[in-house]
Amino acid sequence: MTVRNTMFDAANVVVVAPHPDDESLVTGGLIQTALERGATVSVILLTDGDRNPWPQRVVERRLRIGADERARWGRRRRAEAERALAVLGVDASAVHFLGWPDMGLTARLITNARASTRELADLVAMLLPTRSARSLLVIPALADRHPDHSATHVLVQLALAQLVPARAELTPHTLGYIVHGHVHLSAAELPMEERCLRRKVAAVEEHQTQLVLSRRRMLKYAKRPECFTSEPTASSKVVPSQHVLRWSIGAMPARLSRLLLVSNAGVWWLSLKSSEQSISAVSSASDRPRVLRRGSGLTLELPASLLTVGPVYAKLAATIDSPWIYDRWGWQHLDGSP
């Protein structure tokens, strides 16, 4: 299935990416198509991609990477992103860097969700029009296995849920993309001419720091078809008070894992250690969410206060550190879908 070209006509397009290079790898063709059809394109980069030690060690011939070195690397990656987007036709004034912590967006959701989503909501409100012209928001899909990518999805959706009720005319159509993981069968492919692909590859090659150790992989990503899923609106409500979560988890993994629950009403960590039930110790509210574990299955019970606050997301996460950065379980949007 291919994306209809007309969906970009006279549109305002905002691309949100967690790291410099994501914008070129998976939306380089979309950006060109939108610009050619008269759209205004803006790009929001949440991090500077500064936690990238092995290429930095090779390029700078150093072993120790401290805070100053990371900051310098982040400035270098910002400059690469600006050059890459210039190749695609995006002016530097339309590129917005938030400078949030690389490999730290899930932690930011836990510790600083309210301020982070407010900052995102204000920026999106500034970039999207107040008139009725169609707007397109392009974000990582929730199914992307990189934790920064899936956390970006959650942050944006929570920000939109704050924004849309105050501005009813601002309900952008939202597309999701995947860099790390499998593209869903329902994803629509954006047609790309050869000249467009060449320019996209040229943009990716501006990210020189990322090509040092991963040139073949990066160029392979760049040459893949660009596929997008239509994402649910930010105003989606949680309907059922009880959710059977899609994950199965054994007794030992359950002892080493917790369930993270995030919404605009708050953030909860739910223990899985008990086979009966466990209630978050983080929240002081009397109507706290509960997770029930029976065998390998998990059921989440939500209080009434969480049923009308907009999107609610759950993430099953290990409590021990691992060198493997990709999510094993990922997030689930609790929208009442089976």
Side-chain angles (χ1 to χ4, degrees), residues 68-281:
D68 291 342
E69 289 79 17
R70 283 186 58 178
R72 182 175 62 247
W73 191 255
R75 291 192 295 271
R76 183 169 183 168
R77 293 201 65 186
R78 280 195 183 201
E80 289 177 343
E82 289 181 337
R83 291 195 297 271
L85 285 163
V87 170
L88 297 174
V90 180
D91 189 82
S93 63
V95 186
H96 305 268
F97 297 94
L98 298 189
W100 292 353
D102 186 13
M103 286 301 299
L105 295 184
T106 302
R108 192 175 183 90
L109 259 175
I110 297 169
T111 61
N112 201 16
R114 189 176 299 275
S116 301
T117 54
R118 185 70 260 165
E119 183 177 354
L120 263 178
D122 290 344
L123 182 54
V124 170
M126 181 185 75
L127 297 176
L128 293 182
T130 56
R131 59 187 184 276
S132 59
R134 181 169 56 246
S135 298
L136 186 66
L137 187 64
V138 188
I139 66 176
L142 192 64
D144 195 300
R145 296 183 64 206
H146 193 296
D148 275 354
H149 289 234
S150 54
T152 296
H153 179 103
V154 175
L155 283 160
V156 173
Q157 292 284 32
L158 293 180
L160 280 176
Q162 296 176 26
L163 190 61
V164 170
R167 288 180 54 186
E169 80 284 358
L170 199 162
T171 308
H173 181 57
T174 305
L175 295 181
Y177 61 82
I178 284 185
V179 180
H180 308 281
H182 299 293
V183 176
H184 196 274
L185 291 175
S186 66
E189 181 181 332
L190 178 73
M192 198 182 321
E193 296 179 5
E194 183 62 32
R195 61 177 179 81
C196 184
L197 177 59
R198 286 197 301 269
R199 187 178 298 167
K200 176 182 176 179
V201 170
V204 170
E205 288 180 335
E206 291 294 338
H207 293 278
Q208 287 294 316
T209 58
Q210 304 310 290
L211 301 179
V212 171
L213 298 180
S214 305
R215 183 179 184 85
R216 179 179 296 180
R217 178 172 61 88
M218 290 281 288
L219 294 181
K220 180 181 178 181
Y221 283 170
K223 293 175 182 178
R224 292 188 306 191
E226 291 188 7
C227 297
F228 303 93
T229 52
S230 184
E231 299 296 324
T233 62
S235 59
S236 296
K237 296 293 188 295
V238 175
V239 179
S241 61
Q242 190 172 89
H243 293 262
V244 177
L245 300 176
R246 65 170 178 261
W247 303 297
S248 294
I249 184 168
M252 183 56 69
R255 291 180 177 273
L256 301 175
S257 304
R258 288 186 293 176
L259 188 72
L260 173 62
L261 196 67
V262 178
S263 77
N264 280 325
V267 176
W268 295 264
W269 275 116
L270 306 180
S271 172
L272 306 180
K273 290 182 180 179
S274 170
S275 61
E276 295 298 324
Q277 66 183 44
S278 178
I279 302 176
S280 167

Side-chain angles (χ1 to χ4, degrees), residues 250-322:
M252 183 56 69
R255 291 180 177 273
L256 301 175
S257 304
R258 288 186 293 176
L259 188 72
L260 173 62
L261 196 67
V262 178
S263 77
N264 280 325
V267 176
W268 295 264
W269 275 116
L270 306 180
S271 172
L272 306 180
K273 290 182 180 179
S274 170
S275 61
E276 295 298 324
Q277 66 183 44
S278 178
I279 302 176
S280 167
V282 176
S283 172
S284 60
S286 59
D287 57 342
R288 292 178 258 184
R290 303 191 305 168
V291 61
L292 312 177
R293 183 165 63 86
R294 298 185 178 92
S296 61
L298 297 172
T299 299
L300 184 65
E301 291 187 347
L302 298 178
S305 60
L306 275 180
L307 301 183
T308 58
V309 296
V312 179
Y313 294 91
K315 179 184 177 74
L316 193 59
T319 57
I320 57 174
D321 291 333
S322 167

